[in-house]
Amino acid sequence: MPNSFVFDSNRCTGCDACRLACSIENGLGPDRSWRRVETFNPKRHPALPAYHLSLACNHCNEPACLYACPANAYRRDAHTGAVILEEEKCIGCRYCSWACPYDAPVFDSSRGVMSKCTFCNHRLVDGLEPACVALCPTGALGFADVAEPEIENEIDGFPATELGPRTVIVPLKEGRWLPVMSAPVVDPASAPGKAPDDDIRLRSEWPLAAFTSMLAVLVAALAAATLDSFDLSPAAFVGGAALILGLASLHLGKPFRAYRALLNLRRSWLSREVTAVTGFIALAAAQLLWFPGSWPLAAVAVGLGLTALICADYVYTVLRASAHPLTHSASVAWTGVFLAAVFAGVGPLAGAVGLGKLGLYVGRKLGFRRGGRPVRPAISLLRVGVGLVVPGLLWAVDPARFHELIVAAVVAGELVDRAEYYVELERIAPSRQMSIDLERRIAEGGANRDVPAPRPALAAID
Ligand code: SF4
Ligand code: SF4
């Protein structure tokens, strides 16, 4: 059962046959494939090795995709070991593509679902090799029954994880700078079937930023109303709830299957978040509309709301963020507490959480400055000035008189911080790993190593 891909970087010429074989075998069309060929050191820094990596799903021992999927759309084939995505169960939330550090799940925008390599399970059950392996002309890509301790895949550009990826990688032999017979390296940006964009972009993820912020506002408003310190009308709550549900469904490829997001409570933070949000909205609406005097019902609803916010923070732990979500100034759980204190007029709590957020925000930006990452001073000024300093000053002058203004300023500041959070998130992916490893190798002095004389075959190609 422990089937594995075996990839020998000494033999891969970057001919792309494996990618094409995958497209043809799985009827994906010429521009789509579940396998792709990427290149380490694509511009051929002369003192560093250049090689290709043929990448697809590694059918990991601990598949992050399967654990993350809220809809239980993944399963493992007990006979072949393949991690299979059942597309008819997928809701198109794309969370598995965030969770997989190997960029294996590919979103099919025409059908609104995710798709990925099946290990050619249909061929395996017939005793055949995967199509990519069968068509590789140099024998670089192989397939074998490999025991756990024999799996080696530590190579620059291949993210090191605890997932147990079932791909054995044979690195370039000592002293070799390019694979034998290597074709001219293709610029990865223009290669067909290139790796999907590995950034989380605010332009595409803004519904999530708005959804999580609005959820914090609703939870805080209900908490303050439960303390009798805020007037929350049922119509305002129901309108806000409809808005956040609409925002959440904007993100789904298959919104009519959204109920499936409740199915993986045991393992998926996204599933837990969706379940807690559903319970929060249902109980809060019931309390406001039909049982306005029932504080126990309101308290349970607030508890579920806070749980939803904490789960929402944990959803992002599969990504590379500038800090853990709960110790990030944009944590929606802390935003919920902050806003509840502001809505209810509880000065000491609002002051303490606000100061904590200020400290986390400034600390992060100083870290960015030291690490050479963009600081965006104008945005920082907006976040701190409008969201923390102005409300603090107004509170000091007359909190009752300026209450609406304080609330508006704090909400605006939290929205800016949340938006920045999404801008700073990064997916872990081979293409990004290659850039990171290349920069590290150059910084370590790889550029000062002796450069071997070019092989005659390579000189001819160049
Ligand atoms: S490579 Fe990614 S998609 Fe494939 S099993 Fe591992 S985590 Fe899942
Ligand atoms: S439901 Fe979401 S996480 Fe599950 S397979 Fe579909 S896109 Fe991936």
Side-chain angles (χ1 to χ4, degrees):
M1 192 283 257
N3 290 319
S4 295
F5 285 119
V6 180
F7 176 75
D8 188 343
S9 61
N10 297 278
R11 294 180 175 216
C12 178
T13 64
C15 71
D16 239 12
C18 52
R19 184 188 71 78
L20 281 170
C22 176
S23 302
I24 295 165
E25 177 70 25
N26 296 295
L28 301 175
D31 296 330
R32 291 186 63 233
S33 179
W34 293 327
R35 181 167 284 283
R36 64 187 187 279
V37 179
E38 295 204 25
T39 307
F40 182 78
N41 188 12
K43 298 200 189 314
R44 294 195 188 186
H45 190 295
L48 290 175
Y51 51 83
H52 310 287
L53 284 178
S54 174
L55 299 164
C57 174
N58 304 298
H59 300 273
C60 306
N61 292 332
E62 301 291 338
C65 52
L66 185 150
Y67 298 155
C69 174
N72 262 345
Y74 283 87
R75 68 174 172 84
R76 185 188 290 285
D77 185 306
H79 180 60
T80 62
V83 175
I84 303 290
L85 168 56
E86 297 176 307
E87 294 177 12
E88 69 282 3
K89 295 181 178 172
C90 173
I91 61 175
C93 67
R94 308 172 204 215
Y95 191 43
C96 53
S97 72
W98 288 15
C100 170
Y102 301 102
D103 254 349
V106 181
F107 191 65
D108 182 344
S109 48
S110 63
R111 292 186 302 137
V113 293
M114 204 54 88
S115 67
K116 78 160 194 70
C117 159
T118 63
F119 234 4
C120 277
N121 210 36
H122 55 289
R123 290 173 59 96
L124 295 189
V125 294
D126 287 342
L128 299 170
E129 292 176 324
C132 52
V133 173
L135 222 73
C136 174
T138 66
L141 197 57
F143 190 73
D145 183 337
V146 181
E148 197 76 28
E150 291 165 22
I151 291 189
E152 285 282 346
N153 46 34
E154 285 181 23
I155 187 167
D156 286 336
F158 191 80
T161 68
E162 304 288 313
L163 306 184
R166 298 209 62 86
T167 296
V168 178
I169 297 183
V170 182
L172 280 186
K173 291 197 175 97
E174 192 67 26
R176 184 169 285 175
W177 242 241
L178 281 166
V180 175
M181 302 182 291
S182 183
V185 176
V186 180
D187 179 355
S190 62
K194 73 184 176 69
D197 192 348
D198 58 7
D199 270 332
I200 305 290
R201 296 197 186 280
L202 187 59
R203 198 182 306 156
S204 57
E205 307 300 344
W206 70 265
L208 287 183
F211 163 78
T212 48
S213 302
M214 287 295 300
L215 179 63
V217 171
L218 279 190
V219 174
L222 186 72
T226 306
L227 295 173
D228 271 343
S229 312
F230 187 75
D231 190 16
L232 177 62
S233 75
F237 181 85
V238 171
L243 179 65
I244 66 168
L245 290 178
L247 285 169
S249 65
L250 269 184
H251 189 68
L252 299 181
K254 291 283 182 196
F256 295 114
R257 291 183 195 160
Y259 70 93
R260 292 199 59 88
L262 307 173
L263 298 182
N264 195 7
L265 264 181
R266 194 161 68 88
R267 290 186 289 213
S268 167
W269 280 108
L270 184 53
S271 193
R272 291 169 194 155
E273 179 197 349
V274 173
T275 306
V277 169
T278 308
F280 162 69
I281 289 177
L283 289 191
Q287 193 267 338
L288 289 166
L289 288 167
W290 299 300
F291 307 101
S294 172
W295 68 262
L297 192 56
V300 175
V302 171
L304 273 175
L306 274 176
T307 306
L309 292 176
I310 292 169
C311 293
D313 278 335
Y314 270 88
V315 159
Y316 295 87
T317 48
V318 297
L319 295 166
R320 190 178 274 149
S322 42
H324 186 280
L326 285 180
T327 52
H328 195 289
S329 62
S331 151
V332 281
W334 285 113
T335 297
V337 175
F338 188 31
L339 290 176
V342 171
F343 286 158
V346 185
L349 181 59
V353 180
L355 279 176
K357 277 182 168 269
L358 178 64
L360 290 172
Y361 187 84
V362 172
R364 187 169 89 251
K365 292 294 171 171
L366 289 177
F368 277 20
R369 183 178 286 270
R370 279 195 298 275
R373 290 186 64 177
V375 175
R376 303 182 195 88
I379 306 282
S380 301
L381 206 62
L382 195 67
R383 193 275 172 271
V384 174
V386 173
L388 296 168
V389 176
V390 169
L393 292 175
L394 291 174
W395 198 298
V397 174
D398 191 340
R401 187 171 156 212
F402 295 117
H403 188 249
E404 280 82 17
L405 209 51
I406 292 170
V407 166
V410 168
V411 170
E414 294 304 301
L415 275 172
V416 172
D417 204 352
R418 195 67 188 164
E420 267 200 293
Y421 179 65
Y422 282 82
V423 170
E424 292 164 8
L425 285 171
E426 289 174 353
R427 282 170 56 204
I428 302 164
S431 51
R432 186 179 298 281
Q433 193 66 46
M434 284 187 180
S435 307
I436 292 170
D437 288 339
L438 194 57
E439 278 173 29
R440 176 180 52 77
R441 292 285 300 273
I442 290 170
E444 282 172 0
N448 296 327
R449 291 167 59 181
D450 291 338
V451 182
R455 302 166 67 91
L458 287 173
I461 288 168
D462 287 340

